[in-house]
Amino acid sequence: MLAVNYSTIRGKFKDYCDKATNENETVIVTRKNEKNVVLMSLEQYNSLTKALRNAEYLAKLDRAFEQLENGRGQSHELIEESADE
């Protein structure tokens, strides 16, 4: 992980983009008043968002199992379709 101030990255933006994409480096762009931003490859970003979605899905499953264990589930009969439908 690199930390670079705004003025430095502005002059060498292509170089830092190449570091992010070719070397899988995360670049923190430091700005005044701690309003920093992060530069990373799209591949790394997609991986992070996928991990977040998976974590959210697993949390939903955990809540559902907890509800079932606390007796807040509902039982339903399965509807079977006939072969000619």
Side-chain angles (χ1 to χ4, degrees), residues 29-44:
V29 182
T30 59
R31 300 166 59 198
K32 291 181 182 177
N33 301 323
E34 297 185 20
K35 293 186 177 185
N36 302 334
V37 295
V38 175
L39 176 68
M40 67 176 67
S41 69
L42 180 60
E43 180 181 334
Q44 188 175 8

Side-chain angles (χ1 to χ4, degrees), residues 15-79:
D15 294 338
Y16 286 101
C17 286
D18 289 344
K19 282 187 178 291
T21 56
N22 298 337
E23 299 172 25
N24 213 23
E25 190 72 61
T26 301
V27 181
I28 300 171
V29 182
T30 59
R31 300 166 59 198
K32 291 181 182 177
N33 301 323
E34 297 185 20
K35 293 186 177 185
N36 302 334
V37 295
V38 175
L39 176 68
M40 67 176 67
S41 69
L42 180 60
E43 180 181 334
Q44 188 175 8
Y45 172 79
N46 287 338
S47 178
L48 286 172
T49 56
K50 182 178 180 180
L52 178 62
R53 284 192 311 271
N54 288 344
E56 290 170 347
Y57 177 71
L58 292 174
K60 280 183 183 180
L61 288 176
D62 286 342
R63 286 191 301 272
F65 284 125
E66 184 179 322
Q67 289 174 352
L68 286 173
E69 288 172 357
N70 292 330
R72 293 185 289 170
Q74 294 180 359
S75 178
H76 296 274
E77 294 293 323
L78 293 178
I79 302 171

Side-chain angles (χ1 to χ4, degrees), residues 2 4 24 55 59 85:
L2 299 173
V4 183
N24 213 23
E85 286 184 26

